[in-house]
Amino acid sequence: MPVVLWINIVVFITISTSFGICFRDYVNYEDNLDIPAIAKYFTTKGRYEEVNPHLIKDILAVNTSILPLPSAQCQPFHLTAIIRHGTRYPTSKNAKKMQKLYELVMSSASGKESWLREIKSKWRMWYTEDMDGRLVQKGVEDHKHLAIRLSKLFPSLISEEKLRGGFIKFMTSSKHRCVNSTLSFKAGLTELWAITDKEFDHEVNDALMRFFDHCTRFVQEVDQNPTALSEVDKFRQGPEMRRVTEKIADSLRVPYNTIDDDMAEAAFYLCAYEFAIKTVNSPWCQLFDEVDAQVMEYANDLKQFWKRGYGYDINSKSSCILFHDVFSRLNRTAVENKSGQQVTEAVTVQVGHAETLLPLLTLLGFFKNNGSITSTNYATQTQRSFRTSHMLPYAANLLLVLYDCGAGELRLQALLNENPVTFPGLSDQQASMPLYEDVKENYRELLQGCDFETECQLFKSPA
């Protein structure tokens, strides 16, 4: 049966430290043999549970104490949630790389190690090109569970009454993995409240959720520019990566020239996908120790930094259209709340990609290092704040919550992956939930400018 059809069936059945953030890391990977020791370095291929390890024991656990309110009067009246799609299959490009590595191991690798015997005698390459990034069952569950947790964190906003009343809006990228994630999020709520008599619409909007495709300057100067990622290329050909590829070649007993950086990445992804999709500690993981995994993580962080993050100004400016969409909605709901009207959009769920979230987080100033991360400063970047393993696992989410604290006082709280974050540039004692007016002042230049059409014009001089 074709993979595409299988995915549709699965979805159909299922649906009938820095910037004030603390990443909890108390799982003992050595004691839990089901979890690869290197799982916390899987970057954008990582599980959401590695960012929030308490979910390993209880996937629906929430801790409302992480939402400290300045006063008991503060009540939320709007939530915008920008969410990455759930766990997915490899893209066609990565499936090809993994197939090439598998064929090399099957034809040329030798040794008596148990993990290698397992690969050669039991493991079979089951990833195919037609899977091409489609949502897997774990991805369906990622969004269903997230929906339920958010309904527990914000019960007055994400409620059956609000959903039935049309006060919860859904928007998605046109990509199948995002549409199916959106359907799964809705299913989490309808199944929670046993709603069978009504369906809820969603809007497909690539202009907002795939803005990067529509920003000509980004496409020309970064995405399709072969020199834009020169720092990534230099690192992948540098001494740190060479040590990793040579160790893999030694483990497989194959010539050094057969294992390049693409092969190392394929092995790393095989370990990551097996774990994310099937919760299996794959024998492929034995090709890497923690030091190797840190190098692989850095290589991907470099790519994200230069292609979607702080490397080039247009990376973040390409998200101006989404930035203005978010703040115009916050302003609109703030006005409705202040005037005593019913807030027409209590919750907005916008499902996109890692490439949707990272430019927006960058535009807002989160996770900014002192200086760039480059091909030559790996050794000094072990404590970097720009770390995609923490920021962008599957189902990563940025939550912006507006509160009415009485006497006309409105406050805005930001959470990343359900953990409070402090807005960069705001240092007062209540920076985790600052006055909404202070947030707008903090981003005044962006609110007054940051015009998508202007920024994305090709003739604009590079910053």
Side-chain angles (χ1 to χ4, degrees):
M1 181 180 289
V3 172
V4 172
L5 180 59
W6 182 85
I7 280 295
N8 289 340
I9 289 174
V10 167
V11 173
F12 174 78
I13 291 172
T14 309
I15 289 169
S16 355
T17 63
S18 182
F19 299 121
I21 190 165
C22 177
F23 297 104
R24 293 177 292 278
D25 188 19
Y26 53 73
V27 171
N28 190 328
Y29 291 88
E30 292 181 0
D31 291 345
N32 193 333
L33 299 179
D34 293 331
I35 301 178
I38 60 174
K40 60 185 177 182
Y41 302 108
F42 284 160
T43 67
T44 57
K45 308 297 185 289
R47 293 193 313 175
Y48 193 75
E49 290 88 332
E50 264 52 63
V51 173
N52 289 305
H54 65 279
L55 297 178
I56 295 172
K57 291 184 178 179
D58 181 1
I59 197 62
L60 299 179
V62 297
N63 180 10
T64 54
S65 67
I66 67 171
L67 306 176
L69 302 178
S71 75
Q73 283 183 287
C74 294
Q75 296 297 321
F77 64 88
H78 174 78
L79 163 66
T80 284
I82 303 170
I83 312 173
R84 185 191 179 196
H85 58 75
T87 307
R88 62 165 174 81
Y89 285 118
T91 58
S92 297
K93 179 181 178 181
N94 284 332
K96 283 182 184 178
K97 291 181 181 179
M98 286 155 39
Q99 178 67 35
K100 183 179 178 182
L101 173 66
Y102 175 68
E103 290 172 357
L104 173 70
V105 170
M106 294 302 289
S107 65
S108 304
S110 62
K112 297 182 179 180
E113 292 85 354
S114 59
W115 58 267
L116 183 56
R117 289 203 309 271
E118 184 178 349
I119 290 174
K120 300 194 76 168
S121 64
K122 297 180 181 179
W123 197 88
R124 292 293 176 265
M125 172 55 70
W126 62 281
Y127 299 105
T128 57
E129 291 180 38
D130 61 356
M131 290 176 170
D132 198 24
R134 292 187 174 274
L135 198 71
V136 300
Q137 180 61 32
K138 175 63 165 62
V140 171
E141 294 164 1
D142 288 338
H143 273 254
K144 290 176 73 171
H145 294 150
L146 177 61
I148 294 170
R149 290 196 304 273
L150 293 185
S151 75
K152 293 165 73 173
L153 269 179
F154 304 103
S156 65
L157 295 179
I158 303 182
S159 66
E160 181 178 357
E161 178 185 4
K162 288 281 198 298
L163 183 62
R164 285 186 176 276
F167 299 110
I168 302 179
K169 309 291 186 183
F170 300 93
M171 180 187 294
T172 177
S173 150
S174 63
K175 289 291 184 180
H176 40 68
R177 54 186 170 272
C178 295
V179 173
N180 285 342
S181 292
T182 305
L183 294 174
S184 302
F185 192 100
K186 289 191 284 186
L189 300 181
T190 55
E191 291 172 10
L192 175 65
W193 299 316
I195 298 175
T196 58
D197 61 330
K198 189 172 183 179
E199 294 186 353
F200 303 94
D201 295 333
H202 60 261
E203 174 190 356
V204 175
N205 190 328
D206 281 347
L208 286 175
M209 306 318 295
R210 291 185 62 83
F211 51 77
F212 41 88
D213 285 340
H214 304 273
C215 182
T216 305
R217 185 171 157 232
F218 167 76
V219 172
Q220 295 282 340
E221 294 183 2
V222 181
D223 193 36
Q224 295 180 359
N225 180 356
T227 65
L229 302 185
S230 60
E231 287 298 316
V232 182
D233 297 335
K234 289 175 188 174
F235 184 77
R236 289 173 68 112
Q237 301 305 317
E240 293 90 358
M241 184 64 78
R242 193 176 308 115
R243 280 194 290 272
V244 174
T245 59
E246 289 178 356
K247 282 177 65 177
I248 293 174
D250 287 341
S251 297
L252 298 174
R253 295 175 179 81
V254 296
Y256 285 163
N257 63 4
T258 61
I259 302 294
D260 60 11
D261 54 303
D262 277 344
M263 287 290 214
E265 183 179 67
F268 196 62
Y269 282 170
L270 276 166
C271 173
Y273 280 120
E274 290 284 275
F275 183 56
I277 295 172
K278 301 196 295 184
T279 322
V280 169
N281 189 347
S282 167
W284 292 101
C285 300
Q286 298 303 311
L287 286 168
F288 301 90
D289 60 23
E290 188 169 16
V291 173
D292 303 328
Q294 289 169 350
V295 172
M296 301 304 297
E297 179 192 43
Y298 190 78
N300 191 64
D301 284 355
L302 262 180
K303 178 182 177 181
Q304 298 299 333
F305 182 90
W306 288 99
K307 192 170 185 178
R308 305 290 177 179
Y310 291 100
Y312 299 103
D313 184 59
I314 189 57
N315 294 349
S316 61
K317 293 294 177 59
S318 66
S319 72
C320 285
I321 190 170
L322 181 58
F323 171 86
H324 283 296
D325 172 73
V326 169
F327 273 90
S328 64
R329 184 184 312 113
L330 295 176
N331 287 336
R332 186 170 65 249
T333 56
V335 169
E336 289 175 342
N337 179 75
K338 277 195 172 185
S339 64
Q341 301 176 43
Q342 170 76 57
V343 173
T344 53
E345 208 163 331
V347 178
T348 306
V349 176
Q350 297 177 289
V351 180
H353 308 262
E355 296 89 343
T356 310
L357 266 172
L358 184 53
L360 182 62
L361 289 170
T362 302
L363 190 67
L364 294 171
F366 289 105
F367 305 104
K368 188 172 186 178
N369 288 336
N370 292 324
S372 297
I373 60 174
T374 70
S375 59
T376 58
N377 63 1
Y378 169 74
T380 65
Q381 292 293 325
T382 56
Q383 300 302 315
R384 67 188 180 279
S385 53
F386 190 93
R387 194 166 236 124
T388 54
S389 297
H390 293 167
M391 299 153 59
L392 297 168
Y394 292 120
N397 51 86
L398 174 65
L399 310 178
L400 296 169
V401 193
L402 266 176
Y403 287 82
D404 184 338
C405 295
E409 182 180 293
L410 303 184
R411 291 185 174 273
L412 183 65
Q413 181 178 53
L415 299 97
L416 183 66
N417 302 327
E418 300 172 73
N419 293 285
V421 289
T422 300
F423 286 102
L426 294 175
S427 58
D428 65 271
Q429 291 182 345
Q430 295 178 338
S432 62
M433 195 185 292
L435 292 170
Y436 180 48
E437 290 301 318
D438 289 347
V439 176
K440 289 196 292 184
E441 178 60 26
N442 192 44
Y443 295 120
R444 179 165 48 88
E445 289 187 12
L446 291 174
L447 289 167
Q448 292 176 351
C450 201
D451 178 71
F452 180 80
E453 297 298 331
T454 303
E455 295 293 345
C456 290
Q457 287 177 356
L458 251 187
F459 60 76
K460 184 178 175 66
S461 298

